[in-house]
């Protein structure tokens, strides 16, 4: 398997624009996680899905952020409108999560810069 | 809520020095504990894990022992190499009603010079 695939790797956009980040999890994994990494706050869990259903979105910072998982092989994280403080590296991860000792596999991340 | 606290970095060492990165946790349940490593420009990858008290996880010369009595999971390596330069994250997961998610510490940057 190619691992978790994220696109794009880098995104530069202007404030107010819509941004869509994409993720393809590892085939057969039931859980998908979106994390955000910044110097100030470290790695924060934004939302996660189980079998395409959002389970916990309490980490989503505000209504400008939304995430979907229309099928088992694709998820998106959308920011509309984007703001400079959204600049960060966004990671997608997936896991089998049969139990809580199962590791998560991470993509290479999308570095978002909002100017 | 559940949380992980790591020592502040950066940690700067010379090659072959001994490494310790401290990690303590707070959890309502009985967590599994993990160390992840992030090399420059890459995503996180699992380094080692431990799922119950007194378990020792090990990989690539790194070790960490699950200490329930001190709620700690310190990462150690006897002799670091330049190639170990990376950011190290301590993490935990606990079962809840709906599923599981990893909770990470803020990460510790390690820089090893030759």
């Amino acid at each position: 398997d190619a691992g978790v695939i994220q696109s794009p790797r880098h995104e530069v956009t202007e404030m107010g624009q819509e941004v869509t980040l994409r993720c393809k999890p590892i085939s057969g994994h039931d859980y998908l996680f979106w994390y955000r990494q910044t110097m100030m706050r470290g790695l924060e869990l934004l939302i996660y899905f189980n079998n395409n259903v959002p389970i916990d979105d309490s980490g989503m910072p505000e209504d400008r952020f939304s995430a979907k998982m229309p099928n088992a092989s694709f998820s998106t994280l959308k920011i509309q409108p984007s703001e400079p403080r959204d600049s960060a590296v966004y990671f997608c991860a997936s896991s089998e999560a049969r139990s809580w000792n199962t590791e998560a596999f991470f993509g290479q991340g999308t570095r978002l810069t909002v100017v | 809520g559940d949380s992980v606290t790591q020592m502040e970095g950066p940690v700067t060492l010379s090659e072959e020095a001994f490494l310790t990165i401290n990690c303590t946790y707070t959890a309502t349940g009985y967590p599994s504990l993990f160390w992840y490593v992030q090399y420059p420009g890459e995503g996180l990858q699992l380094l080692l894990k431990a799922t119950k008290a007194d378990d020792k996880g090990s990989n690539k010369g790194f070790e960490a022992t699950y200490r329930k009595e001190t709620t700690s999971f310190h990462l150690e390596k006897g002799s670091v190499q330049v190639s170990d330069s990376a950011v190290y994250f301590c993490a935990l997961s606990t079962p809840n009603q709906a599923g599981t998610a990893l909770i990470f510490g803020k990460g510790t940057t390690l820089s090893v010079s030759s």
Side-chain angles (χ1 to χ4, degrees), chain A residues 9 33 35 37 100-101 104, chain B residues 36 38 41 49 51 93 100 102:
Chain A
R9 289 293 309 277
F33 308 86
Y35 287 88
Q37 184 181 34
W100 60 95
N101 59 19
Chain B
Y36 279 76
Q38 183 182 27
K49 70 179 184 182
T51 58
S93 69
T100 71
L102 286 165

Side-chain angles (χ1 to χ4, degrees), chain B residues 1-104:
Chain B
D2 299 345
S3 65
V4 175
T5 303
Q6 290 180 236
M7 61 186 290
E8 294 285 332
V11 174
T12 303
L13 296 173
S14 298
E15 207 165 22
E16 299 184 2
F18 184 84
L19 168 71
T20 298
I21 300 177
N22 290 337
C23 170
T24 57
Y25 67 90
T26 302
T28 52
Y30 196 140
S32 290
L33 302 174
F34 305 79
W35 277 100
Y36 279 76
V37 59
Q38 183 182 27
Y39 297 105
E42 298 184 9
L44 283 72
Q45 54 187 276
L46 180 67
L47 180 60
L48 53 84
K49 70 179 184 182
T51 58
K52 60 183 187 295
D54 300 324
D55 267 3
K56 178 185 285 187
S58 61
N59 186 24
K60 299 181 181 179
F62 291 89
E63 293 182 339
T65 301
Y66 190 142
R67 300 290 187 201
K68 197 169 189 295
E69 64 277 13
T70 54
T71 63
S72 65
F73 193 54
H74 305 321
L75 182 68
E76 297 182 335
K77 186 174 186 181
S79 176
V80 294
Q81 305 300 311
V82 172
S83 57
D84 294 327
S85 298
V87 183
Y88 292 82
F89 293 89
C90 186
L92 67 81
S93 69
T94 55
N96 57 40
Q97 290 185 344
T100 71
L102 286 165
I103 296 170
F104 287 89

Side-chain angles (χ1 to χ4, degrees), chain A residues 91-108:
Chain A
F91 287 103
C92 176
S94 69
S95 76
E96 293 178 294
R98 292 184 305 275
S99 68
W100 60 95
N101 59 19
T102 306
E103 71 176 286
F105 293 82
F106 282 75
Q108 291 189 297

